Amino acid sequence: MPIDAHLLAVFTVTTIVALITPGPDMLFVLGCGVRGGVRAGLLATAGIITGDALYIVAAAAGLAVLLTAFPVVFTVLRFAGAAYLIYLGVQMIRNRKKAPADEPAVSGMSGRRAFLNGVVSSMANPQTFTFMIAFLPQFIDPAAGPVWLQFAILGAILIALEFVADATVGVLAGKIGGWLHRRQAVRRRIDAATGSVFIGLGVTLAVER
């Protein structure tokens, strides 16, 4: 095993603690699950995981050096992602009264849209990349083996643990959302609340430094 056993144990425990603390990704999955059902919650999780995996690959490939040298990339990424999340939130609030009475309970957000929005939400959050390049290297020992392999192992563990945490939230939110969506008045409130969450996430991304 090209990773020190003690470092691996500390990494696993630290990652679990970080993942069970509610953050933008978990709130995003929660919103998708409530609005679109279990399938949307799981696919939103898959989208988040895909974006995080791309960040891990980029960090391992040395993109961290490029983004550190050109901080403006972080700024552009943050504002683009913030604008997109705010747009999604506004659309949800504006369209909350358009659903017909006989619309299926889980049609509030398609699986494909949940997945793509999950990828965008993850990639649009510079903190995700910052976390990868600041957190993972702390548990890598160049003397223990190839750095890229250690990066890959730690990244795979992080992705697996994150999927379990977010997927659990997505499934629970989907089950609750499916019940609530059968009540149209409640559904409109759900869409308004979910839209507000997305707008809040977008504003948070925009003002964070």
Side-chain angles (χ1 to χ4, degrees), residues 98-191:
K98 294 184 179 181
D102 59 347
E103 181 179 318
V106 295
S107 62
M109 176 176 289
S110 69
R112 179 175 181 273
R113 183 181 179 189
F115 175 80
L116 294 177
N117 287 349
V119 175
V120 172
S121 177
S122 174
M123 297 296 291
N125 186 358
Q127 281 194 337
T128 301
F129 188 76
T130 301
F131 177 81
M132 299 301 179
I133 63 176
F135 181 67
L136 293 182
Q138 297 182 44
F139 302 93
I140 291 178
D141 180 7
V147 171
W148 69 268
L149 182 56
Q150 296 182 60
F151 229 118
I153 293 173
L154 294 177
I157 293 173
L158 187 153
I159 290 297
L161 293 174
E162 183 178 15
F163 182 82
V164 171
D166 287 352
T168 300
V169 172
V171 169
L172 293 176
K175 289 184 178 299
I176 295 173
W179 178 80
L180 293 176
H181 269 293
R182 286 191 283 273
R183 291 150 179 80
Q184 293 301 314
V186 177
R187 172 181 182 145
R188 288 193 290 271
R189 294 189 182 94
I190 289 174
D191 287 350

Side-chain angles (χ1 to χ4, degrees), residues 2 17-18 42 59-60 70 73 77 101 135 143 148 152 154 169:
V17 172
L42 289 175
F70 299 97
V73 176
L77 189 59
F135 181 67
W148 69 268
L154 294 177
V169 172

Side-chain angles (χ1 to χ4, degrees), residues 1-161:
M1 186 84 169
I3 299 180
D4 180 83
H6 175 69
L7 285 179
L8 184 60
V10 174
F11 169 79
T12 302
V13 172
T14 305
T15 300
I16 291 174
V17 172
L19 290 177
I20 62 177
T21 303
D25 288 348
M26 187 175 288
L27 290 176
F28 182 85
V29 171
L30 177 67
C32 290
V34 169
R35 192 164 191 265
V38 173
R39 183 169 182 269
L42 289 175
L43 286 174
T45 299
I48 293 289
I49 294 301
T50 299
D52 289 355
L54 292 175
Y55 265 144
I56 290 175
V57 171
L63 188 56
V65 176
L66 174 63
L67 294 185
T68 301
F70 299 97
V72 68
V73 176
F74 277 111
T75 301
V76 172
L77 189 59
R78 185 179 73 246
F79 281 109
Y84 183 69
L85 289 175
I86 292 172
Y87 167 78
L88 288 178
V90 170
Q91 289 298 104
M92 288 180 185
I93 294 174
R94 288 183 59 190
N95 297 331
R96 69 187 186 280
K97 295 182 179 180
K98 294 184 179 181
D102 59 347
E103 181 179 318
V106 295
S107 62
M109 176 176 289
S110 69
R112 179 175 181 273
R113 183 181 179 189
F115 175 80
L116 294 177
N117 287 349
V119 175
V120 172
S121 177
S122 174
M123 297 296 291
N125 186 358
Q127 281 194 337
T128 301
F129 188 76
T130 301
F131 177 81
M132 299 301 179
I133 63 176
F135 181 67
L136 293 182
Q138 297 182 44
F139 302 93
I140 291 178
D141 180 7
V147 171
W148 69 268
L149 182 56
Q150 296 182 60
F151 229 118
I153 293 173
L154 294 177
I157 293 173
L158 187 153
I159 290 297
L161 293 174

